[in-house]
């Protein structure tokens, strides 16, 4: 366990610079690793009597965190909230002025709503509520984006990075969430175009981010975005909260590598957090983040170690770094819509009295220089590609006897070098369909009752593979004991085969069993259309379905 030995200004992490750019964009240079902090609540906390301090006597939270090594400040923006005076344009200007005074870069988080926008809600702002035609909404969004950026430029605080929407898993600016690219792509395109135009007009480099919550969702989301032709952006933003994600820290790192390699974008974990205590400050606001990971105690030291390991995993896999969500949201006498005080007081980098605590230790660490994304590490058009192309599926088969179900999948390349999650779905109700289940959308005719996820690791100490079996029960996935095995064998021609051996009793005596092999990213089952014909084509090249006993 690493210990934090000082609470005054720490030595900042060694930084390099990364050029963020994509086709048709203007590039921006940011210090990396990004060690960001979302300080959207600070102005409100201080206005409500909250006080911050460190052992060096500093009381400005921007200066305190910058002294520890933070180099970027994120701030959210609501269009026209009538329920708060904060996260308005004026409030964002105030936040960015403080960030720049402390020497930090800035990231603007457009919610495109008068309230919180997240995977479960993307409520249109009142000013746009009567717009029904998508071109009208896109025009309004573009004009609004331009107006905000113009005001920030006039105030001297034009941001270094802009995200078009917040946690847009289900799209943006809509009464009911759910991806609809005919609706969502024009809005995103309008927002991106406004940022590009402002960068050209001002001569200032501004990176554009698209932001999705949880890495397992991001893998599928950006594949769909790519198919929809949405590629004029610079940064893939991910929220990663272990409490709501199925991915471990190592698997998050793998997802960062896969996304960066697949789309040749930078990847930033733009929201994350971890509890430093299970206690409360005695107010009425319930703590939202109340679960941890077994290897990281819910203590200041455990929080710091979690953030250090997470940041190291992101950077080591080619990512830019991390942004801690609201490390300074202290409890005060002020109220939210749901109670008095803070709902995040147990996940801040300051204790209940406003003292910087050991969780901030990760900001002062040095992180290895990131490796550039490898464009051949995710997909290859060449079926005879070497192991760096990782996994083009060439064969899927399954047999069952009285004791076991054995499923094997063969690929070009080596499964053990595949930096991601392979999901085997087992369904006993063919044709049932159940889109939207975690961690993937089963868009075609399969209704899995069981999901076996397997990750292969080559990092020291992580082991050879880590399988996890879940069962769909009472409307949710529940972990189930797995007593089978997973093996990998090399095959001739530079390929490999993974074999799952599962207990026969898993599926009972129900009718025909369907198996679906899903991959978490773009094009990883590249030869399915050739191998499975219309069935493979219907599955959009990401799944293969067959009945027990058949072989393809």
């Amino acid at each position: 366990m690493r210990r934090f030995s000082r609470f005054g200004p720490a030595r900042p992490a060694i930084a390099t610079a990364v050029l963020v750019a994509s086709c048709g964009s203007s590039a921006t240079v940011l210090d990396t690793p990004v060690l960001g902090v979302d300080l959207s609540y600070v102005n409100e906390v201080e206005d409500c009597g909250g006080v911050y301090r460190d052992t060096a006597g500093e009381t400005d939270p921007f200066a305190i965190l910058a002294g520890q090594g933070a180099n970027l400040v994120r701030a959210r923006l609501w269009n026209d909230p009538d329920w708060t005076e904060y996260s308005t344009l004026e409030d964002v200007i105030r936040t960015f002025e403080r960030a720049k005074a402390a020497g930090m870069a800035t990231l603007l988080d457009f919610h495109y709503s008068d309230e919180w926008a997240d995977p479960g809600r993307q409520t249109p702002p009142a000013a746009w509520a009567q717009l029904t035609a998508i071109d009208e909404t896109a025009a309004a969004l573009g004009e609004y984006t331009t107006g905000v950026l113009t005001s920030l430029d006039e105030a001297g605080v034009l941001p270094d990075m802009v995200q078009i929407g917040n946690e847009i898993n289900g799209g943006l600016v809509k009464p009911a969430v759910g991806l609809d690219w005919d609706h969502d792509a024009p809005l995103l395109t309008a927002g991106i175009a406004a940022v590009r135009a402002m960068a050209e007009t001002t001569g200032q480099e501004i990176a554009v981010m698209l932001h999705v919550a949880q890495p397992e969702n991001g893998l599928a989301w950006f594949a769909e975005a790519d198919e929809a032709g949405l590629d004029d952006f610079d940064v893939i933003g991910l929220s990663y909260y272990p409490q709501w994600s199925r991915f471990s820290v190592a698997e998050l790192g793998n997802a960062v590598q896969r996304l960066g390699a697949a789309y040749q974008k930078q990847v930033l974990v733009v929201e994350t957090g971890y509890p430093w205590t299970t206690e409360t400050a005695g107010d009425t606001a319930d703590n939202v983040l109340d679960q941890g990971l077994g290897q990281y105690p819910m203590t200041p030291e455990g929080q710091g170690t979690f953030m250090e390991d997470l940041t190291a995993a992101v950077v080591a896999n080619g990512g830019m770094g991390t942004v801690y969500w609201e490390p300074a949201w202290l409890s005060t006498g002020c109220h939210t819509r749901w109670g008095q005080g803070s709902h995040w007081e147990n996940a801040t980098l300051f204790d209940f009295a406003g003292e910087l605590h050991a969780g901030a230790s990760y900001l002062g660490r040095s992180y290895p220089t990131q490796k550039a994304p490898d464009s051949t590490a995710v997909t290859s058009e060449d079926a005879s590609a070497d192991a760096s192309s990782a996994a083009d599926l060439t064969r899927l088969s399954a047999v069952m006897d009285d004791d076991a179900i054995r499923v094997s999948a063969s690929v070009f390349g080596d499964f053990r070098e595949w930096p991601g999650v392979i999901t085997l779905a087992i369904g006993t109700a063919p044709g049932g369909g159940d889109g939207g289940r975690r961690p993937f959308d089963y868009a075609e005719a399969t209704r899995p009752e069981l999901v076996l996820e397997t990750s292969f690791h080559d990092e020291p100490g992580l082991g050879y593979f880590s399988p996890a079996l879940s069962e769909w029960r009472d409307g949710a996935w529940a972990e189930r004991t797995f007593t089978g095995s997973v093996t990998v064998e090399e095959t001739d021609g530079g390929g490999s085969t993974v074999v799952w051996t599962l207990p026969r009793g898993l599926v009972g005596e129900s009718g025909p069993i369907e198996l679906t092999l899903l991959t978490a990213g773009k094009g990883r089952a590249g030869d399915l259309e050739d191998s499975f014909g219309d069935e493979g084509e219907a599955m959009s090249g990401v799944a293969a379905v067959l009945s027990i006993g058949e072989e393809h």
Side-chain angles (χ1 to χ4, degrees), residues 181 184-185 188-189 192 210 221-222 225-233:
W181 289 108
D184 300 320
L188 293 169
T189 299
I192 292 169
L210 300 184
W221 195 95
F222 284 97
D226 189 63
E227 291 179 5
L230 194 67
D231 62 0
D232 183 21
F233 62 97

Side-chain angles (χ1 to χ4, degrees), residues 233-244:
F233 62 97
D234 309 303
V235 179
I236 291 172
L238 299 174
S239 296
Y240 175 62
Y241 297 105
Q243 181 165 321
W244 301 303

Side-chain angles (χ1 to χ4, degrees), residues 41-53 86 94 330-334 352-354:
Y41 265 113
V42 167
N43 294 334
E44 181 175 1
V45 168
E46 290 182 324
D47 289 348
C48 291
V51 176
Y52 304 91
R53 60 179 65 86
Y86 299 94
R94 181 180 170 190
L330 302 181
S331 275
T332 66
C334 289
F352 295 156

